[in-house]
Amino acid sequence: MTSAPVAAPTGLPRPYQSYTYAYPHKTAYRPLTPRPALKDLWAGECRRSLSLYLHIPFCEVRCGFCNLFTRIGAPGDLTGRYLDAVRRQAAAMREALGDEETPRFANAAFGGGTPTFLEAAELERLCDIAEREMGADLRAIPLSVEASPSTATADRLAVLVERGTTRLSLGVQSFVEEESRAAVRPQRRADVEAALARIREAGVPVLNIDLIYGIDGQTAASWRHSLDAALAWRPEEIYLYPLYIRPLTGLGRHSDARTADLEWDEQRLRRYREGRDRLLAQGYEQVSMRMFRRADAPPQGPDDYACQTDGMIGLGCGARSYTSTLHYSFDYAVSMREIRGIIDDYTATEDFSYALHGRRVDEDEARRRHLLQSLLQAEGLPVADYRLRFGSDPRDDFPAEIGALADRGWLADRGWLADRDEDRLRLSAEGLAHSDAIGPEFFSPAVRDAMAAYETK
């Protein structure tokens, strides 16, 4: 079950509620009855600018904070059988798209889990699936891959660079070993530094380092230590993630998900502001609450994909796919037992021509999604784009929600009511800091109800 948001004593919503990276949230998905055929779902959909995502649900360890769809290890030939299933799914997806309009992919990503859990030869297979089955030219589009320090080996990196990887994201989380242990992510600082050296030597154009704030025992000094250790590598991007403790995760077993830990909220906000200010002072530009990009970083390559409007094709049992009217995926779970069962079912599947779980996206949900995926970026929502797509003004569609943001000082321009020609709706610095509270306020009642009714498994 999802508990109701808890307000802080100030009357403001708690700052850390939900990371809104996709809407509707996957816990709002339900089994689809009847199961729609993929060829019907994608009939009439624009294929000129698609995103391709391949999901690998394996990790060498599972961090204590992690609620991603992943399992520890892959006994026997499981990775091979999993890639066989991904290939079958890709073939079914490509057949469903048909030949009337050749699909064009604007970008691609390998996520997880840990894609680099796969051996070098298996990464070659994964790239082959993207290129030969789906038709994505990985060397001509931005390709982002997630990795962990222990799996960022020279042979794997060589494959990824040769196949066109433009961005590699390394999950470091902390350069302080005591904090890594507290987050149930045991790793040695020396191993992290060695992995970073290999990545730089491999020549990946864009290196991203993930860091987490709010870890038990973390102080302003230890947080600054991790920030400076990351900055020493001059990464093109740095992501700052707040620690969340979720049900059924390693840390979640020892905490009450309904307890409002307001002191922890304040600690995390302090660490966020310290991190933000440090990165801005070091020549990074803030792209979102989490993402900071070095001002002189090279572009990854041409990318005309717009997440607000363009479709996404996800391959693998933890991936989502998006059409204009339906978001769909396979079943979702957090517990190890349930995840193992879903992976086993996926690898045994022969017929991938139907969507199994998902949620319909009507025009109201599309408006909410477009607004959220724009507003939560530092550059904000171009109001003209919203008007062109929906024929209305977002301030008329969501007057209470946007009015509340203005009243709190979370919008960059408080004159939004008087000036209807203002061409961009942007969050203030404090609004960006509260992105994880702003996102849920725009969720529809139906999505809220579905998320609340979801039984965690």
Side-chain angles (χ1 to χ4, degrees):
M1 298 286 287
T2 302
S3 57
V6 180
T10 59
L12 296 175
R14 289 190 63 192
Y16 297 104
Q17 295 183 30
S18 175
Y19 176 21
T20 310
Y21 66 92
Y23 179 82
H25 193 272
K26 203 169 183 179
T27 55
Y29 291 13
R30 293 294 185 270
L32 297 170
T33 305
R35 296 175 175 178
L38 296 185
K39 63 180 179 62
D40 295 332
L41 287 179
W42 285 92
E45 294 286 318
C46 178
R47 294 99 184 275
R48 291 190 298 272
S49 183
L50 296 171
S51 181
L52 179 64
Y53 177 73
L54 284 81
H55 180 262
I56 303 300
F58 307 110
C59 290
E60 69 273 22
V61 297
R62 194 178 199 198
C63 305
F65 53 83
C66 178
N67 71 334
L68 298 178
F69 187 93
T70 187
R71 62 162 291 165
I72 300 170
D77 63 345
L78 181 56
T79 56
R81 290 188 288 112
Y82 182 82
L83 289 175
D84 288 342
V86 174
R87 183 189 57 76
R88 292 195 299 273
Q89 185 189 1
M93 185 68 244
R94 185 62 188 85
E95 182 179 356
L97 290 173
D99 297 321
E100 185 173 334
E101 180 184 3
T102 301
R104 172 186 170 274
F105 292 95
N107 61 46
F110 301 162
T114 307
T116 48
F117 179 90
L118 298 178
E119 299 289 346
E122 293 174 321
L123 287 171
E124 291 274 17
R125 283 193 65 193
L126 191 68
C127 293
D128 286 344
I129 291 169
E131 293 189 332
R132 297 175 185 175
E133 300 293 344
M134 293 307 306
D137 187 350
L138 298 182
R139 294 179 180 86
I141 61 176
L143 170 60
S144 178
V145 181
E146 297 173 3
S148 66
S150 64
T151 61
T153 58
D155 60 338
R156 291 176 170 101
L157 292 171
V159 168
L160 293 175
V161 169
E162 195 279 328
R163 298 301 293 262
T165 300
T166 57
R167 176 183 183 271
L168 192 131
S169 181
L170 193 71
V172 174
Q173 320 315 351
S174 177
F175 283 86
V176 179
E177 292 183 10
E178 293 81 4
E179 292 179 5
S180 295
R181 288 194 294 271
V184 195
R185 185 189 176 88
Q187 62 188 14
R188 295 192 310 136
R189 167 77 178 268
D191 294 335
V192 173
E193 300 282 357
L196 287 165
R198 291 191 297 271
I199 294 166
R200 282 310 196 196
E201 185 177 353
V204 181
V206 173
L207 164 64
N208 171 69
I209 295 177
D210 287 344
L211 297 176
I212 286 182
Y213 57 91
I215 299 171
D216 188 30
Q218 189 179 63
T219 65
S222 68
W223 178 228
R224 175 68 173 260
H225 180 80
S226 280
L227 289 165
D228 288 347
L231 286 167
W233 290 96
R234 294 288 292 157
E236 286 71 26
E237 295 176 5
I238 297 181
Y239 272 66
L240 306 182
Y241 287 96
L243 178 65
Y244 276 101
I245 296 179
R246 300 300 197 191
L248 301 186
T249 62
L251 296 176
R253 289 194 299 269
H254 307 293
S255 62
D256 181 356
R258 295 178 178 272
T259 299
D261 192 343
L262 303 180
E263 188 174 314
W264 190 34
D265 285 348
E266 286 303 314
Q267 181 207 56
R268 284 181 288 180
L269 273 175
R270 286 194 297 271
R271 297 293 88 83
Y272 161 79
R273 290 169 177 144
E274 292 160 2
R276 174 198 63 194
D277 294 348
R278 179 65 175 151
L279 296 184
L280 293 178
Q282 291 297 308
Y284 285 75
E285 298 174 343
Q286 186 165 17
V287 179
S288 68
M289 173 189 173
R290 289 164 174 76
M291 180 183 177
F292 295 80
R293 185 171 175 84
R294 215 177 70 206
D296 61 347
Q300 293 187 60
D303 184 356
D304 56 1
Y305 178 77
C307 63
Q308 297 91 339
T309 57
D310 294 327
M312 184 168 84
I313 293 174
L315 302 177
C317 60
R320 312 178 199 209
S321 296
Y322 304 146
T323 72
S324 60
T325 59
L326 181 75
H327 292 188
Y328 64 92
S329 67
F330 295 90
D331 200 2
Y332 171 71
V334 175
S335 75
M336 284 289 98
R337 182 178 64 83
E338 294 286 347
I339 289 174
R340 287 194 294 267
I342 293 171
I343 293 174
D344 289 343
D345 289 343
Y346 176 82
T347 59
T349 298
E350 294 293 335
D351 183 2
F352 284 102
S353 62
Y354 295 87
L356 304 183
H357 292 75
R359 188 166 189 88
R360 298 286 177 183
V361 178
D362 60 18
E363 185 163 301
D364 175 67
E365 299 292 15
R367 290 172 192 261
R368 294 174 186 274
R369 181 171 183 265
H370 189 115
L371 186 148
L372 283 172
Q373 292 190 305
S374 303
L375 184 62
L376 297 183
Q377 301 295 308
E379 65 181 12
L381 168 68
V383 174
D385 290 354
Y386 185 97
R387 286 191 186 122
L388 181 64
R389 181 179 180 189
F390 298 109
S392 59
D393 191 296
R395 293 158 289 205
D396 294 329
D397 291 342
F398 304 100
E401 294 90 341
I402 295 175
L405 298 183
D407 292 342
R408 297 168 189 160
W410 290 357
L411 289 180
D413 178 18
R414 290 185 63 86
W416 63 279
L417 279 171
D419 185 3
R420 287 307 209 193
D421 293 325
E422 171 68 32
D423 71 346
R424 198 169 290 270
L425 197 61
R426 290 192 303 113
L427 295 178
S428 64
E430 198 61 18
L432 279 174
H434 288 80
S435 293
D436 284 3
I438 291 172
E441 292 192 336
F442 286 88
F443 292 2
S444 71
V447 165
R448 288 176 182 272
D449 289 346
M451 292 173 65
Y454 177 79
E455 294 291 340
T456 304
K457 59 183 180 180

